[in-house]
């Protein structure tokens, strides 16, 4: 699953616009992921300038 | 909030604010919604803008201009410096804004002109009738309501979701999303009249690092690299921290800004039935500099003008809104975007050595203009031996 490290995230939206599935959104200054839509491709993890996203093995 | 307006603007950045301001001045009923609790914060910008460009929208005001910039310096990987000086060129360089106050001023002007403004209010879905956009479902403090509009202007910035919800693919490839980090640093020795750009693989592979003066002893120091170049141990932030350690070890960091800057081509089409897309949401950022404030304001203003005409004629179909798309594409801005995209594509192929050679060839020149075009023309003129390699560049210029 996609893990958001909220303590690192700067809520900038760079990851939102590279997600091909449109699974990410900034809502009330929080990054949210729609788990049904996310296919754990990891593309967004590359966009983050801070390294706040990680695809983990957890279900 | 009323349930019906002529124009609904989604997003309170410079693109949305100018759209709302223009539409209200033209006598339309306008609603601007911004999902963040405060206009202009947090900042996601290095805050540089050309003087003439800014003045074509609003008179500069010391309340939101942090620095009056007299020169730009481009520093090649080996330290060769190209100085573009306002005094020598006779052309104005730019300002460094304080966007917290600048963005607020624009929204304030929109409000004064008659536009309704709502913060902490988010578009969560478009209202669609078939393929025609008729406004948005908006959420404020947990409550949802329909806001219908004759034209909806998506000015929701880099993270834009609105156009996507309307069926337009706005995904940015990783290679074209600049992953950026910036510190506002105080107590450092800088030239308060200069904006400096550092190039090179060690500093910012396929991107650049900037030091934009914000006063006598403070500056926005930031870096942007393509998202595809981010590696777990070498992300944008790591490049910035290294530069800080080497150049400003005693600087005090009083703000950290992160952001994505799209340096792709614009969206293939920026209108649909009842919908117009402006600014970063339309991907009209300059692909070389990453600058998008001026282009957001330009597209915002044009969109509102075209929307006003379409509304007056009672037709807000894609065809009726098309003059917006046609006009910005054939404008100076549209042409520069296309040219600079090609130039960027050429420059990202250059090794540090080639960059040094090109920089050395134009070092010390007294430029008569401070433009990308002037720089490129001189580079091509002075490097006849590299003409074959510079083909990509010459192609971009014709
Ligand atoms: C690090 C960095 C440095 C930059 N430096 C420069 C520079 O020096 N000079 C320059 O010209 N440009 C620069 N840019 C680019 C510049 O910041 C943007 O081009 C500019 O802000 C675009 O304006 P906009 O109005 O299109 O979007 P934005 O300013 O991003 O505004 C969009 C607004 O829409 C809101 N929004 C999003 N979704 C919704 C929703 N669903 N409902 C309601 N509101 C919503 C957002 O909260 C945001 O406030 C930089 C960008 C970055 C990331
Ligand atoms: S992992 Fe892939 S699908 Fe999931 S949010 Fe990131 S980019 Fe989107
Ligand atoms: S790119 Fe990183 S910092 Fe920006 S919103 Fe996404 S996770 Fe947060």
């Amino acid at each position: 699953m996609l893990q958001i490290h909220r303590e690192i995230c700067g809520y900038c939206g760079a990851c939102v616009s590279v997600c091909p599935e449109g699974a990410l959104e900034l809502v009330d200054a929080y990054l949210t992921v729609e788990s049904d839509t996310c296919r754990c491709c990891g593309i967004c993890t590359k966009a983050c300038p801070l390294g706040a996203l990680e695809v983990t093995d957890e279900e | 909030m009323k349930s019906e307006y002529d124009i609904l603007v989604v997003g309170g950045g410079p693109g949305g604010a100018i759209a709302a301001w223009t539409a209200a001045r033209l006598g339309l009923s306008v609603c601007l919604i911004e999902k963040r609790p405060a206009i202009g914060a947090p900042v996601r910008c290095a805050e540089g803008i050309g003087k003439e460009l800014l003045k074509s929208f609003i008179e500069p005001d010391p309340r939101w201009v942090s620095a009056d910039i007299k020169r730009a310096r481009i520093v090649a990987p080996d330290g060769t410096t190209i100085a573009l000086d306002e005094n020598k060129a006779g052309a104005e360089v730019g300002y460094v804004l304080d966007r917290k106050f600048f963005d607020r001023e624009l929204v304030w002007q929109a409000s004064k002109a008659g536009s309704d403004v709502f913060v902490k209010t988010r578009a969560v879905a478009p209202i669609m009738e078939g393929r025609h956009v008729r406004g948005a479902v908006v959420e404020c403090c947990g409550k949802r309501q329909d806001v219908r509009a004759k034209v909806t202007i998506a000015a929701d910035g880099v993270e834009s979701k609105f156009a996507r919800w309307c069926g337009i693919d706005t995904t940015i490839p990783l290679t074209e999303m600049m992953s950026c980090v910036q510190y506002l640093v105080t107590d450092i020795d800088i030239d308060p009249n200069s904006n400096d750009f550092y190039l090179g693989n060690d500093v910012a592979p396929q991107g650049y690092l900037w030091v934009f003066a914000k006063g006598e002893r403070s500056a926005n120091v930031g870096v942007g690299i393509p998202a595809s170049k981010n590696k777990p141990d070498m992300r944008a932030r790591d490049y910035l921290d290294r530069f800080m350690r080497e150049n400003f070890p005693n600087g005090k960091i009083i703000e950290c800004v992160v952001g994505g800057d799209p340096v792709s081509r614009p969206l293939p089409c920026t209108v649909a039935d009842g919908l117009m897309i402006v600014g970063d949401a339309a991907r009209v950022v300059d692909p070389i500099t990453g600058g998008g404030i001026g282009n957001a304001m330009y597209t915002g203003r044009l969109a509102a003008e075209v929307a006003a005409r379409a509304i007056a004629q009672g037709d807000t179909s894609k065809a009726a809104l098309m003059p917006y798309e046609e006009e910005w594409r054939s404008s100076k801005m549209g042409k520069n975007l296309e040219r600079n995209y090609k130039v960027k594509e050429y420059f990202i192929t250059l090794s540090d050595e080639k960059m040094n050679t090109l920089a050395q060839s134009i070092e010390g020149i007294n430029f008569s203009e401070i433009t990308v075009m002037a720089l490129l023309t001189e580079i091509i003129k002075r490097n006849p031996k590299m003409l074959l390699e510079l083909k990509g560049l010459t192609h971009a210029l014709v």
Side-chain angles (χ1 to χ4, degrees):
Chain A
M1 67 179 275
L2 179 71
Q3 210 183 338
I4 303 167
H5 296 286
R6 293 190 192 281
E7 70 290 0
I8 302 176
C9 173
Y11 312 110
C12 71
C15 56
V16 176
S17 36
V18 298
C19 169
E21 306 297 325
L24 292 165
E25 204 183 337
L26 286 175
V27 180
D28 289 338
Y30 276 104
L31 182 66
T32 61
V33 57
E34 246 177 60
S35 42
D36 292 349
T37 317
C38 173
R39 58 184 164 87
C40 295
C41 64
I43 289 176
C44 58
T45 64
K46 294 278 285 176
C48 180
L50 305 175
L53 297 170
E54 190 188 355
V55 174
T56 63
D57 291 339
E58 281 169 51
E59 276 301 302
Chain B
M1 188 184 300
K2 291 188 286 183
S3 56
E4 205 155 342
Y5 289 90
D6 290 323
I7 306 259
L8 171 65
V9 180
V10 178
I18 292 278
W21 185 8
T22 309
R25 277 202 292 207
L26 291 169
L28 301 177
S29 65
V30 187
C31 176
L32 180 147
I33 58 168
E34 167 54 55
K35 71 177 178 181
R36 296 194 266 177
I39 301 287
V43 174
R44 295 175 194 152
C45 192
E47 307 179 297
I49 189 165
K51 286 183 187 172
E52 283 310 312
L53 186 57
L54 177 74
K55 286 180 196 159
S56 64
F57 294 94
I58 187 166
E59 261 315 295
D61 186 323
R63 285 179 303 146
W64 43 259
V65 171
S66 298
D68 187 336
I69 299 300
K70 309 250 180 282
R71 71 187 63 89
R73 288 185 299 213
I74 303 170
V75 185
D78 66 354
T80 306
T81 302
I82 304 154
L84 302 160
D85 210 307
E86 173 170 294
N87 297 331
K88 287 185 204 145
E92 293 179 329
V93 180
Y95 294 119
V96 176
L97 303 172
D98 189 329
R99 281 208 48 192
K100 278 191 198 94
F101 295 101
F102 174 69
D103 286 22
R104 271 172 215 200
E105 174 68 20
L106 295 184
V107 171
W108 173 233
Q109 292 297 341
S111 163
K112 270 209 307 200
S115 170
D116 284 350
V117 175
F118 299 93
V119 291
K120 220 169 178 324
T121 304
R122 185 169 70 98
V124 293
I127 299 171
M128 305 287 292
E129 275 174 14
R131 288 167 49 172
H132 202 117
V133 182
R134 301 281 185 198
V137 182
V138 310
E139 191 178 87
C140 178
C141 304
K143 279 203 193 121
R144 287 194 176 194
Q145 100 167 67
D146 282 4
V147 178
R148 295 182 69 86
K150 292 177 183 138
V151 174
T152 304
I153 297 181
D156 46 350
V158 67
E159 68 192 91
S160 168
K161 296 280 279 196
F162 196 83
R164 200 194 274 244
W165 293 329
C166 299
I168 297 168
D169 185 6
T170 58
T171 317
I172 301 170
L174 272 181
T175 46
E176 310 209 299
M177 166 60 79
M178 298 307 279
S179 187
C180 310
V181 187
Q182 171 183 278
Y183 298 139
L184 172 53
V185 191
T186 64
D187 230 359
I188 48 176
D189 289 327
I190 48 151
D191 176 348
N193 297 312
S194 181
N195 278 355
D196 299 341
F197 303 78
Y198 292 80
L199 306 174
N201 270 307
D202 282 348
V203 188
Q206 296 189 0
Y208 68 85
L209 185 145
W210 62 87
V211 179
F212 285 4
K214 279 211 80 168
E216 287 299 316
R217 291 186 57 76
S218 40
N220 284 333
V221 185
V223 70
I225 60 172
S228 54
K229 288 271 160 193
N230 264 336
K231 290 192 204 95
D233 50 340
M234 264 337 251
R235 291 185 178 273
R237 184 177 205 149
D238 301 304
Y239 284 96
L240 181 58
D241 285 339
R242 189 162 76 187
F243 185 85
M244 286 294 297
R245 274 195 306 275
E246 287 169 7
N247 295 276
F248 303 123
N250 300 320
K252 304 195 175 50
I253 298 167
I254 58 168
E255 197 173 340
C256 175
V257 166
V258 274
D261 206 1
V263 291
S264 59
R265 280 201 162 100
L267 293 182
C269 184
T270 54
V271 289
D273 293 330
L275 176 71
M276 305 172 99
I277 312 166
V278 307
D280 277 19
R283 316 308 187 206
V284 290
V285 169
D286 185 302
I288 297 182
T289 62
I293 306 169
N295 293 352
M297 293 198 287
Y298 169 77
T299 49
R301 179 165 67 188
L302 184 61
E305 286 165 354
V306 172
R309 288 205 296 271
I311 289 169
Q313 286 158 10
D315 178 4
T316 57
S317 65
K318 179 175 176 179
L321 301 178
M322 211 43 157
Y324 161 67
E325 165 89 12
E326 289 160 356
E327 200 173 317
W328 77 250
R329 251 182 235 281
S330 59
S331 69
K332 189 173 165 217
M333 179 203 83
K335 290 191 182 130
N336 281 351
L337 285 179
E338 184 54 29
R339 183 199 68 202
N340 288 0
Y341 182 81
K342 291 182 192 155
V343 172
K344 174 209 76 169
E345 289 292 281
Y346 168 73
F347 271 102
I348 60 175
T349 64
L350 288 184
S351 64
D352 281 3
E353 290 69 37
K354 294 252 166 68
M355 254 191 271
N356 293 335
T357 310
L358 296 183
Q360 284 156 12
S361 74
I362 56 169
E363 193 186 15
I365 290 183
N366 212 337
F367 283 91
S368 58
E369 277 179 277
I370 302 175
T371 62
V372 171
M373 193 69 172
L375 265 178
L376 297 178
T377 311
E378 209 55 51
I379 285 180
I380 292 170
K381 218 164 72 189
R382 289 177 181 256
N383 293 278
K385 284 199 189 125
M386 283 174 76
L387 216 51
L388 205 61
E389 270 184 73
L390 290 169
K391 225 166 82 187
L393 205 48
T394 34
H395 276 252
L397 299 185
V398 288

